[in-house]
Amino acid sequence: MRVLLTGGGGMLATSIADAWSTQRPDDELVVVSRRDVDLTDAAATRRVIGDARPELVIHTAASVGGIADKTARPLPYLLNNVIIDASVIEAVVAADVPRYLYTASAAAYPADAVNPISESALFGGPLEQANEGYGLAKLTGITAVRYAARQTGRAYRSILPSNLYGPGDSFDPTRSHLIASTLLKTHAAREAGSDHVEVWGDGTARREFTFAPDIARWIAASIDSIAEWPDIMNVGAGTDHSIREYYELAADVVGFGGELKFDPEKPSGVPRRLIDSSRARAHGWAPQTAIRDGMAECYRAFLTRSPIGDPR
């Protein structure tokens, strides 16, 4: 099978490419990143997908970042993601690609959704303010995939992963997500000999993080049955931890013995976000990696490479 994977410079795509080479060595996998094509350029995107003639497109490319950057600059997280997703789905439909997998985000759920959050909660209320632009873009992408599947009769589906982490994570301080940020900040504090690390919020907010290579291996193993999947599926670890617990785990992994100083005046997002992944479990999803083991693998990767940027 010929497969085209977008977002080649990003964490999830890197994990998918690794899983594909191990689990599906006979497939022809074309990985594209922002160095290969600007996905905000619709014509260029059509050319790349048309020339590749894929039987499956897996779309992971996105304009992503941490809570600080999303709060300071919400506009690009809305517009860039809408444009990227529109370019790709239009190209997929134009090329009559038989199968398409769109990776959305649990940020698309309402801020007051009842935990664990089921797929039926989508479009049920206002989004978390810090993630609103990004979440609205993902809601638009999910809707476009559903429309395209209805129009074409093709197997076009969306998955909504929880927050992800993994060895391909970005450690750019302006764009890093929570787990990468905990490792980066505790590492920097240890290296500087500091006696404390400053943390946004009061540390009580709870988040679910899923190891990206686990999702990648599941996609590679299950993708042949994509036509049997529901149009939308959550994919998460099934457990959550507090912000304080993630920082404590990071300190343990890094070897930082100082104090965590919380700033409750800073935003920390919704109090809790844990998704219900029972649909995906019915289709073979079973996370394998314990949180501390995954964080230790991320830290080892951080020590041996330079930061990865925006996964486009």
Side-chain angles (χ1 to χ4, degrees):
M1 178 166 62
R2 288 188 305 278
V3 183
L4 186 140
L5 172 65
T6 71
M11 171 176 53
L12 181 56
T14 301
S15 297
I16 291 172
D18 288 345
W20 230 264
S21 66
T22 302
Q23 298 172 233
R24 308 180 65 100
D26 294 332
D27 284 358
E28 179 186 345
L29 180 66
V30 178
V31 182
V32 296
S33 71
R34 64 187 307 170
R35 292 182 295 274
D36 304 302
V37 60
D38 178 2
L39 294 178
T40 65
D41 183 333
T45 304
R46 283 195 299 272
R47 284 195 298 273
V48 165
I49 292 178
D51 290 347
R53 296 180 296 107
E55 298 162 85
L56 166 70
V57 170
I58 302 175
H59 178 37
T60 74
S63 181
V64 300
I67 188 170
D69 196 47
K70 286 178 181 175
T71 302
R73 302 185 317 114
L75 188 59
Y77 290 100
L78 172 64
L79 297 183
N80 288 352
N81 283 298
V82 167
I83 293 168
I84 289 168
D85 291 347
S87 292
V88 174
I89 192 65
E90 286 178 344
V92 163
V93 171
D96 198 23
V97 176
R99 292 180 281 186
Y100 175 65
L101 179 62
Y102 174 59
T103 57
S105 168
Y109 282 113
D112 62 354
V114 176
N115 290 270
I117 307 170
S118 73
E119 293 87 350
S120 62
L122 286 169
F123 303 96
L127 307 183
E128 174 198 352
Q129 187 172 4
N131 270 313
E132 185 179 54
Y134 183 73
L136 286 171
K138 292 302 172 182
L139 285 174
T140 302
I142 290 166
T143 303
V145 173
R146 183 186 290 142
Y147 286 172
R150 185 190 308 165
Q151 284 182 205
T152 65
R154 294 297 200 176
Y156 297 166
R157 303 291 187 265
S158 298
I159 58 172
L160 284 78
S162 74
N163 296 302
L164 298 180
Y165 75 107
D169 214 338
S170 171
F171 285 87
D172 179 338
T174 67
R175 295 185 178 276
S176 59
H177 289 237
L178 175 64
I179 286 185
S181 181
T182 65
L183 293 167
L184 180 64
K185 289 168 71 174
T186 52
H187 171 84
R190 191 199 68 187
E191 292 297 291
S194 176
D195 63 355
H196 73 280
V197 167
E198 295 184 357
V199 184
W200 280 28
D202 63 6
T204 62
R206 301 185 68 84
R207 292 292 180 270
E208 175 184 20
F209 272 85
T210 306
F211 196 54
D214 284 352
I215 291 186
R217 288 188 284 265
W218 169 72
I219 291 172
S222 306
I223 199 66
D224 288 331
S225 61
I226 188 173
E228 301 167 16
W229 293 4
D231 58 350
I232 301 168
M233 286 196 297
N234 290 334
V235 187
T239 57
D240 60 358
H241 301 274
S242 70
I243 304 300
R244 176 183 290 275
E245 288 169 332
Y246 284 121
Y247 270 93
E248 290 172 345
L249 283 166
D252 181 47
V253 166
V254 169
F256 170 69
E259 180 185 2
L260 301 176
K261 290 189 175 180
F262 295 90
D263 183 354
E265 298 301 315
K266 292 290 197 328
S268 55
V270 295
R272 189 185 189 201
R273 182 180 289 127
L274 175 67
I275 58 176
D276 176 358
S277 299
S278 55
R279 285 187 185 179
R281 287 181 180 275
H283 290 272
W285 164 241
Q288 302 294 317
T289 306
I291 184 65
R292 192 196 183 283
D293 294 341
M295 291 178 71
E297 187 169 337
C298 289
Y299 186 55
R300 287 192 294 270
F302 164 73
L303 293 176
T304 58
R305 64 172 172 81
S306 59
I308 289 177
D310 189 354
R312 285 187 287 164

